[in-house]
Amino acid sequence: MIRTNELRGIIAKNGFSQVKVAKMLGISPKTFYNKMKQGRFGSDEIQVMIDRLNISNPCEIFFAEEVTLKDTRKENRDAETDYSSREQ
């Protein structure tokens, strides 16, 4: 999942609009907005943005995994159950 708020900030910091970035990527502004909304871009598009927007921390922007507290609690319960079953 892409951290779209951070990406928007980087776009603005570099003096670009989302329309200009869409043109950079060779897609329509509407397609760009949809990709931002879904949080999904192709690897070629990501590479263009990394290069043209001078993104120094691409993994933090483009490969962010959103984890909820509920997910974390479930993982902890599963790990405890696995550990307990090994002890017996």
Side-chain angles (χ1 to χ4, degrees):
M1 187 62 114
I2 294 174
R3 292 185 173 166
T4 54
N5 286 337
E6 285 86 347
L7 182 55
R8 283 186 187 98
I10 290 170
I11 290 169
K13 186 174 94 174
N14 282 277
F16 291 106
S17 67
Q18 291 186 46
V19 172
K20 284 187 179 184
V21 174
K23 289 180 183 179
M24 251 188 248
L25 300 176
I27 59 177
S28 72
K30 181 176 176 149
T31 299
F32 182 82
Y33 292 124
N34 286 337
K35 287 178 178 255
M36 287 289 278
K37 185 176 178 182
Q38 295 170 358
R40 295 194 176 122
F41 286 91
S43 58
D44 291 343
E45 296 164 333
I46 290 171
Q47 189 61 55
V48 169
M49 287 189 277
I50 290 169
D51 294 340
R52 299 287 304 272
L53 300 173
N54 302 311
I55 298 174
S56 60
N57 55 348
C59 288
E60 292 177 14
I61 305 289
F62 295 107
F63 305 106
E65 184 178 337
E66 305 237 347
V67 178
T68 65
L69 181 58
K70 182 179 174 182
D71 294 333
T72 305
R73 286 182 177 154
K74 182 183 181 317
E75 287 177 17
N76 286 340
R77 279 194 308 274
D78 292 346
E80 287 172 6
T81 301
D82 185 45
Y83 183 75
S84 295
S85 65
R86 287 183 190 174
E87 288 184 329
Q88 296 175 2

